[in-house]
Amino acid sequence: MKFLGRPTTTSQNLQLKNTVISLTKKLTEYGKAGELQKAMNLFEEMPHRNQVSWNAMLTILLQSNKFIEAENVFEKMPLRNSTSYTTMIAGLSRSGFVAEARKVFDSIPVLEQNVFSWTAMISSYTHNGQHFDALKLFSITCGEFFPWILPNSFTFSTLLKSCLDVGSLVMAMQLHGLTVKILNEQDKENVYVQNCLVDLHSKLGNLGDAENVFNGLMWKDLSTWNVMMDAYARNLMIDKALVIFDSMEEKDTLSWNIMISGFAECGRGIEALDFFLRLCRLQGPGTYPNSSTFTIALTICGTYSMLNTGIQLHACVLKHGLTEGYSYTGNSLINMYMKCGSIEESEKLFYEMPRRDVISWNSLILGLGQNGLSKKAIEIGEKALSLGIYNHNTFTALLTTCSHGGLVDEGIEYFGAMSKSSGIEPFLDHYVCVIDMLGRAGKVVEAHDFLRKMPISPNAIAWSTLLNACLVHGNKEIGEVAARELRILEPSNSVSYVMLGNLYRKTGHFEESRQILELMNKIDLKKEKGISWTL
């Protein structure tokens, strides 16, 4: 028998390497199974750890929100590679520790910096709502990293999202130019970036460039078609959206939802419901009504007071189990019944909801207020405030309730309590509600004074609200001021001319009313025709 003797150093190293690989695999399995303590014990018992082991333990700790332990592991690492830094940045980012993530990013040695760590830091800012900082970081480091580190498709898609959130079309155009230079448009993997560009341009009011990107694409996936269709629908170009829809070989539920919503936004409710019924009959793979579909359809029923159709939709919602865990579907039902005047049914739905969010409370308050039940609406509102379930829309609902109910003193009190007691700074909508409330109560002079002293520049809605109050209560002097300001903001809108003409007639100034009508004819400004519904 041949004597083999002691194992060689090479065989020992190989055995140790295999052991480490096996233990690291087991460590990863513990992490995926959520067995943190077992993973930590195994990591401590490992006779040797390689870079993969350290990175695996770091990932497990960060995913378990054990940041102190993760930081200790990160500090104890004998060596760190780009994966170590990227993992640490991403883990801190997920829990909102952006400043700490930036410190890690700034500590990365030049040779370990790459597109993944760069993108991770940009994403950290974007995912935590710091979009300007994301764009600033890219602008500062782009020249420093070029040409040995180039942004990839994920980098661009993250940056484009930030552009959209800050509303920067200039930055969007610059990024668009970079994508053309750096990314291969013929690569299917980059179609997501192209979809982001279509969406970005359309939402920033640059529909022409959105169309150019769409028409120039070699590869289009389902999302591409949906994004372009949505761009047309949001710009009220529903017929163009319909052309896209009809030309699509593949459609999903989102495709149908875009068209249903688009028709509704264009005031074509019957066609919207017709599309809804077509979707219900289709029921193919990936194309069946979801909670968003029913929410849109219920909104249409509420808008046009189609109670019978709404009741049928309610039955479908219950049949599909969409009230369980889908509070927005329940909220849509509350709104629909309120707008159709079925107050008892709406209240019953509210109290039977398994989960009520702030929108549920706001819907009930606003619905009761608009249906003349001001006292009950305020009672519900007070309860929501005491429970801490409120936002800026809660006060909009309360102010609207006070406006419809003639409760001026209560409304002024709520407006004052917004910032003092609830920590919510008034938006322009809240100021408009107060103007409407004062105007409805005949306090036109007070409404005008309130508008003039606003810390926010009044928009066309504010002046139109004041002008309407002047028309109702016959205040010619303030009405002329409101009409003049409204014409400055919206020179092509006939509302200011028509309302001022009516005000002149109401106050006996027939010559001035005739002059307003002549002026409208002279500048070829026509009143839009009204639309009536026969159900």
Side-chain angles (χ1 to χ4, degrees):
M1 185 173 69
K2 185 177 180 181
F3 179 70
L4 297 175
R6 294 174 63 87
T8 64
T9 303
T10 303
S11 62
Q12 283 180 328
N13 289 340
L14 183 60
Q15 184 180 3
L16 181 61
K17 182 179 179 181
N18 290 334
T19 302
V20 171
I21 292 172
S22 177
L23 291 174
T24 302
K25 184 178 178 182
K26 189 68 176 176
L27 181 69
T28 305
E29 290 173 357
Y30 282 145
K32 289 180 179 179
E35 297 178 340
L36 176 61
Q37 193 58 53
K38 287 185 178 181
M40 292 176 70
N41 293 339
L42 177 60
F43 184 73
E44 291 296 329
E45 294 169 0
M46 290 177 69
H48 180 73
R49 303 173 190 133
N50 60 13
Q51 190 64 59
V52 178
S53 309
W54 285 98
N55 289 343
M57 192 66 235
L58 181 63
T59 301
I60 293 168
L61 290 169
L62 288 169
Q63 289 176 343
S64 303
N65 295 325
K66 299 291 183 181
F67 298 107
I68 296 176
E69 293 84 348
E71 188 175 354
N72 290 335
V73 168
F74 186 73
E75 293 297 330
K76 290 178 181 178
M77 281 184 174
L79 292 173
R80 299 180 193 131
N81 60 9
S82 60
T83 303
S84 312
Y85 290 105
T86 303
T87 302
M88 195 67 183
I89 292 169
L92 291 169
S93 170
R94 282 193 297 270
S95 296
F97 298 110
V98 183
E100 291 80 359
R102 181 58 189 265
K103 288 178 182 177
V104 174
F105 176 79
D106 290 336
S107 70
I108 302 176
V110 175
L111 294 179
E112 295 296 342
Q113 187 68 267
N114 61 19
V115 67
F116 301 108
S117 55
W118 189 25
T119 303
M121 191 61 238
I122 293 171
S123 299
S124 177
Y125 282 126
T126 302
H127 293 158
N128 287 282
Q130 300 180 31
H131 300 285
F132 181 78
D133 290 322
L135 296 171
K136 183 179 178 182
L137 173 64
F138 178 78
S139 300
I140 292 172
T141 54
C142 186
E144 179 184 335
F145 291 161
F146 188 84
W148 55 282
I149 298 178
L150 296 176
N152 59 18
S153 58
F154 189 75
T155 316
F156 279 118
S157 61
T158 305
L159 289 165
L160 291 171
K161 183 182 185 303
S162 291
C163 282
L164 181 59
D165 279 70
V166 301
S168 175
L169 182 59
V170 173
M171 188 67 180
M173 297 290 284
Q174 293 175 348
L175 287 171
H176 188 173
L178 276 177
T179 63
V180 173
K181 293 178 180 179
I182 294 174
L183 298 183
N184 182 4
E185 294 184 5
Q186 298 182 0
D187 189 348
K188 285 185 178 181
E189 297 297 321
N190 294 326
V191 70
Y192 179 71
V193 178
Q194 306 302 324
N195 295 346
C196 288
L197 284 168
V198 174
D199 187 55
L200 176 66
H201 282 301
S202 66
K203 288 180 178 177
L204 292 181
N206 195 14
L207 187 59
D209 277 351
E211 290 177 312
N212 291 337
V213 174
F214 176 80
N215 293 328
L217 288 178
M218 178 175 292
W219 305 105
K220 296 184 178 80
D221 59 11
L222 178 58
S223 295
T224 314
W225 293 94
N226 282 340
V227 167
M228 193 65 241
M229 183 167 57
D230 181 60
Y232 284 133
R234 277 186 289 99
N235 284 277
L236 303 182
M237 302 170 71
I238 194 63
D239 292 324
K240 283 194 172 185
L242 184 59
V243 171
I244 295 284
F245 182 84
D246 289 337
S247 64
M248 292 169 65
E249 295 181 1
E250 179 189 2
K251 302 178 182 73
D252 60 3
T253 304
L254 178 59
S255 312
W256 288 88
N257 287 351
I258 290 169
M259 288 305 303
I260 296 168
S261 178
F263 276 119
E265 289 294 323
C266 291
R268 294 161 67 171
I270 295 297
E271 289 167 278
L273 289 178
D274 179 60
F275 259 71
F276 171 77
L277 293 174
R278 284 173 58 186
L279 175 60
C280 290
R281 296 188 191 104
L282 192 62
Q283 298 271 335
T287 51
Y288 47 84
N290 58 17
S291 56
S292 296
T293 317
F294 282 104
T295 298
I296 298 166
L298 287 166
T299 302
I300 296 167
C301 291
T303 302
Y304 299 109
S305 300
M306 304 171 73
L307 180 58
N308 291 334
T309 305
I311 292 171
Q312 294 177 44
L313 287 175
H314 188 179
C316 291
V317 167
L318 293 173
K319 182 179 178 181
H320 287 80
L322 294 177
T323 55
E324 301 292 333
Y326 295 93
S327 59
Y328 46 90
T329 309
N331 297 338
S332 298
L333 283 166
I334 292 173
N335 280 323
M336 185 274 293
Y337 279 116
M338 280 294 185
K339 288 181 178 179
C340 293
S342 297
I343 300 167
E344 291 183 5
E345 188 65 32
S346 189
E347 287 185 279
K348 182 183 175 183
L349 268 168
F350 175 81
Y351 289 112
E352 290 179 351
M353 287 177 70
R355 188 180 65 186
R356 294 188 289 267
D357 58 15
V358 66
I359 300 174
S360 312
W361 289 86
N362 293 347
S363 300
L364 185 63
I365 296 166
L366 184 61
L368 290 169
Q370 289 179 332
N371 280 279
L373 300 173
S374 303
K375 290 186 177 179
K376 183 179 281 190
I378 287 177
E379 287 176 9
I380 300 294
E382 288 291 340
K383 188 174 182 180
L385 293 174
S386 65
L387 292 171
I389 310 173
Y390 60 85
N391 58 15
H392 64 279
N393 285 328
T394 310
F395 285 94
T396 302
L398 285 168
L399 290 170
T400 302
T401 294
C402 293
S403 178
H404 284 253
L407 306 173
V408 177
D409 293 337
E410 290 86 344
I412 296 296
E413 188 176 339
Y414 279 125
F415 183 80
M418 284 183 64
S419 56
K420 293 179 182 178
S421 305
S422 303
I424 296 177
E425 290 300 321
F427 291 174
L428 182 57
D429 288 348
H430 300 117
Y431 286 97
V432 172
C433 284
V434 175
I435 294 168
D436 181 60
M437 178 178 64
L438 293 169
R440 283 173 182 261
K443 299 178 180 292
V444 178
V445 176
E446 290 88 339
H448 185 215
D449 289 340
F450 181 84
L451 185 148
R452 288 191 299 108
K453 294 175 182 178
M454 283 166 48
I456 306 173
S457 298
N459 61 1
I461 297 173
W463 286 109
S464 179
T465 301
L466 181 63
L467 178 56
N468 185 65
C470 293
L471 176 59
V472 172
H473 298 286
N475 192 312
K476 172 178 170 291
E477 291 74 19
I478 296 178
E480 289 175 332
V481 174
R484 183 177 65 249
E485 295 294 334
L486 192 55
R487 282 198 297 271
I488 293 171
L489 292 172
E490 295 183 345
S492 60
N493 193 339
S494 64
V495 171
S496 60
Y497 296 89
V498 173
M499 292 180 72
L500 183 60
N502 291 337
L503 176 59
Y504 281 140
R505 278 200 303 274
K506 183 172 182 176
T507 54
H509 297 78
F510 300 106
E511 180 60 26
E512 288 89 338
S513 178
R514 185 184 62 78
Q515 290 174 359
I516 288 290
L517 292 176
E518 287 180 354
L519 178 61
M520 288 180 65
N521 291 328
K522 184 177 180 181
I523 61 177
D524 196 26
L525 193 63
K526 296 180 181 179
K527 178 181 179 294
E528 292 185 6
K529 294 181 179 179
I531 300 174
S532 62
W533 280 74
T534 303
L535 302 176

